[in-house]
Amino acid sequence: MTHPSRAELRGYLTSESSDFEADTIEHHLVGCSSCRVEIRDGEWTNRSWRQLRTTIRTPPRSRPERTLVTVGIPNHIAHLIAASPAFRPAWWLSVAAALVFAGIAAGAVTTNPLASLPFLTVAPVLPVIGVALAYGIPGDPLTQIAAVAPHGGFRLLLIRGLTVSASSIALAVLAALFFLPPNAAFIWLIPSLAATAATLALSIRMAAPVAAIVVVTIWIMLLGATTIAGTPTDAFTIGPHLLVLAIAVAIVGGARNSAPSSAAT
Amino acid sequence: MSDVLLDRVTKTYRRRPALQGINLRLTAGTTAIMGPNGAGKTTLLRLLATAIRPDSGQIRIHGADPNRPLELARIRTRLGYAPDGNDLDTRLSVLQFLHHVAALKGLDITERNRDIEQQIEALGLGHALHRQVRQLPTGTVRRLLVAQAMLGRPQLLVLDEPFADVDHESRHLLIDVLRRSSDHLTVVLAGHHLNDLAAIANRLVILKAGTVAFDNTPADLVAAGLATTNPDDLSPLEAGYLAALSDRPRPEPDPM
């Protein structure tokens, strides 16, 4: 039997081996007690573990995550926001769905202003529903783990919805500036950004689903009022107001934002 | 007060009853849930993991009611759940995945580093830290699923099929970790590997068509197996398991 060298065992322990080498060494370790003893008792093992601890304690952080932490977002929330695009297929699907919605809405209103009402009604929630459908792969173990985690479930859905809305708005603005004839398609994504931010902020104070019901109710009431006044598209001015409200609530309740009580769904 | 209490719990999927009036009291230690496919094992575990709600009956986890939002949040901060499944389809590396789950659990940096270090060491994941989760072999995925469940120092650990399709090394590590864990927390796990489960559990619950067919210690299952006629030369454990699932009345083990 050929035993792995100490350098190879060290590489295995410190994650520096290639996948093939790691699998080969692991297979060897199953049947070789002397190498297992070597790994567990060797002086150099302690050094390897020290290196490993350094790796564990300093996980690679993306620039967005570092930026979010710098502006005061709690560490774990910043990680969840920054990690959203790591689930690439779902993230791109969500962003694409949001952009398609904005494009269709902008086109429909241009040709028929009365057509704005159905789009305005669903504007705050449609991107979040898209996120839920894109990320919520039935039977996926990661989805199931997230669903029962204190900061998973509905709260995670809102965090991802916020990320998707913000990214979609940025892309829509860029498209309007550089690639397409000037249009304001991005404005159709502002209600969802505002509503999601407001729901997240209010969820500091109440259960997240209750916060969502409050925000959607306010939106529908204001939309009804502007429709009766004959100018439903005035509802767009409500988006920034909701956003300001959300930020104000977040600042006031910021000290409690790491409490998991809001994640009760 | 028992750690986990299920009182007349019923769950139905599309008119097909998955659990029918289950009564269980689970205390610290390891309880293995067994039974044939479709017996209700995963449904029971998902109820304990608060992933689904019962149609009727009550569940209490460390005295808290999962139907109440604030109590549910409290339960989840002390819950570790590893669902069944080999295909964790994510591009995250093992290290990123563990940090991601730690963030989902709301752990601060100190807790996160401490727990991830402990689990990587205990479950032998050090060599795979930078490998993408989707490329891991089955045994390593199972270890990773248990490792993430242990983050945040749960009081209740719910593991669905932790030994399914695992290699010898992974099985050895998992059994070692679960044996040590059962000293200080409530572990509930489901599976089909009778010998493995009997080796680590101090209590076996066998489900049959959504009802409890057996609820006692592994030693009692062995005794029940020894008391049956055994024409197929099965081990006493296997004979006891089959006897529990049979429709015939099970003979009582001889009093010692």
Side-chain angles (χ1 to χ4, degrees):
Chain A
M1 179 187 290
T2 307
H3 298 278
S5 67
R6 282 191 164 188
E8 287 170 328
L9 287 175
R10 187 182 294 112
Y12 168 79
L13 273 180
T14 55
S15 228
E16 288 162 1
S17 306
S18 68
D19 291 354
F20 176 75
E21 286 170 340
D23 287 341
T24 307
I25 292 170
E26 189 159 300
H27 188 257
H28 174 83
L29 286 170
V30 171
C32 180
S33 58
S34 64
C35 281
R36 286 202 300 271
V37 169
E38 184 82 5
I39 272 193
R40 282 169 189 155
D41 300 340
E43 171 54 33
W44 58 271
T45 305
N46 293 330
R47 285 200 303 276
S48 300
W49 262 108
R50 279 197 293 275
Q51 290 172 17
L52 201 58
R53 281 197 190 98
T54 307
T55 306
I56 293 167
R57 288 176 185 186
T58 52
R61 273 181 162 180
S62 63
R63 189 186 297 269
E65 185 176 351
R66 290 200 301 271
T67 307
L68 290 167
V69 171
T70 306
V71 300
I73 304 289
N75 237 297
H76 59 281
I77 302 290
H79 177 88
L80 293 176
I81 292 172
S84 292
F87 305 92
R88 287 188 182 92
W91 190 74
W92 279 114
L93 193 63
S94 306
V95 170
L99 290 172
V100 166
F101 165 76
I104 292 173
V109 175
T110 302
T111 54
N112 178 10
L114 289 177
S116 64
L117 199 54
F119 289 103
L120 275 168
T121 307
V122 298
V125 294
L126 206 62
V128 174
I129 292 170
V131 169
L133 294 174
Y135 279 89
I137 304 159
D140 173 35
L142 188 52
T143 307
Q144 295 181 54
I145 291 165
V148 301
H151 288 266
F154 193 57
R155 193 173 168 82
L156 180 64
L157 175 67
L158 291 171
I159 288 171
R160 286 172 171 167
L162 196 68
T163 314
V164 165
S165 293
S167 308
S168 306
I169 288 173
L171 288 172
V173 168
L174 279 174
L177 286 175
F178 296 108
F179 301 113
L180 297 174
N183 66 62
F186 71 89
I187 203 169
W188 285 93
L189 298 169
I190 289 178
S192 76
L193 180 71
T196 312
T199 306
L200 261 177
L202 288 174
S203 72
I204 295 163
R205 296 288 188 193
M206 60 187 79
V210 176
I213 290 168
V214 168
V215 169
V216 170
T217 303
I218 291 171
W219 174 263
I220 297 293
M221 286 172 66
L222 291 173
L223 187 59
T226 54
T227 304
I228 289 168
T231 52
T233 48
D234 281 356
F236 279 123
T237 58
I238 296 161
H241 290 155
L242 274 176
L243 192 56
V244 170
L245 174 68
I247 292 167
V249 173
I251 291 169
V252 172
R256 297 173 57 192
N257 65 359
S258 59
S261 62
S262 56
T265 56
Chain B
M1 181 176 62
S2 70
D3 290 345
V4 179
L5 171 68
L6 291 92
D7 181 20
R8 289 167 290 169
V9 168
T10 298
K11 183 70 184 175
T12 301
Y13 293 114
R14 294 177 185 169
R15 296 184 186 173
R16 190 183 68 79
L19 293 176
Q20 305 182 68
I22 295 282
N23 293 303
L24 283 175
R25 280 177 183 273
L26 308 176
T27 51
T30 299
T31 300
I33 312 291
M34 305 186 64
N37 289 334
K41 302 186 295 296
T42 294
T43 300
L44 177 57
L45 261 59
R46 297 193 74 209
L47 284 166
L48 294 175
T50 71
I52 54 174
R53 293 182 179 187
D55 295 333
S56 63
Q58 290 190 328
I59 298 176
R60 294 287 182 274
I61 297 172
H62 301 118
D65 180 356
N67 278 325
R68 297 171 182 240
L70 292 180
E71 294 184 35
L72 175 63
R74 203 169 79 223
I75 291 168
R76 286 179 170 175
T77 58
R78 287 285 171 258
L79 170 74
Y81 176 46
D84 185 20
N86 297 333
D87 48 344
L88 270 167
D89 187 16
T90 171
R91 292 167 193 266
L92 297 177
S93 70
V94 166
L95 187 57
Q96 287 172 325
F97 176 81
L98 289 171
H99 276 278
H100 184 68
V101 175
L104 285 170
K105 293 188 173 190
L107 304 186
D108 65 31
I109 286 182
T110 309
E111 294 170 315
R112 195 188 307 181
N113 288 336
R114 178 198 66 199
D115 288 7
I116 290 175
E117 264 176 45
Q118 281 180 357
Q119 296 314 316
I120 283 173
E121 184 170 7
L123 286 157
L125 293 167
H127 70 287
L129 286 186
H130 300 301
R131 292 177 71 177
Q132 276 193 0
V133 171
R134 64 198 299 179
Q135 295 173 345
L136 296 175
T138 305
T140 313
V141 170
R142 293 287 177 189
R143 281 187 268 154
L144 180 61
L145 282 169
V146 172
Q148 64 78 27
M150 302 279 267
L151 298 177
R153 307 205 167 183
Q155 291 175 339
L156 172 62
L157 194 60
V158 180
L159 311 174
D160 200 354
E161 302 271 9
F163 302 118
D165 304 322
V166 299
D167 53 278
H168 176 78
E169 165 88 341
S170 297
R171 185 178 148 275
H172 175 78
L173 279 167
L174 286 167
I175 287 176
D176 187 41
V177 165
L178 293 174
R179 270 194 179 135
R180 280 187 277 126
S181 302
S182 65
D183 293 342
H184 54 275
L185 54 91
T186 305
V187 182
V188 185
L189 47 86
H192 292 282
H193 297 73
L194 191 55
N195 291 323
D196 288 344
L197 295 176
I200 57 173
N202 47 20
R203 183 173 172 189
L204 292 178
V205 173
I206 299 175
L207 295 180
K208 177 187 173 187
T211 59
V212 175
F214 178 90
D215 179 6
N216 219 319
T217 64
D220 282 316
L221 191 65
V222 168
L226 289 171
T228 61
T229 52
N230 187 355
D232 297 325
D233 203 21
L234 302 169
S235 72
L237 205 55
E238 291 168 324
Y241 176 74
L242 291 178
L245 292 173
S246 77
D247 292 326
R248 286 171 293 163
R250 189 158 45 86
E252 291 295 322
D254 292 333
M256 299 298 288

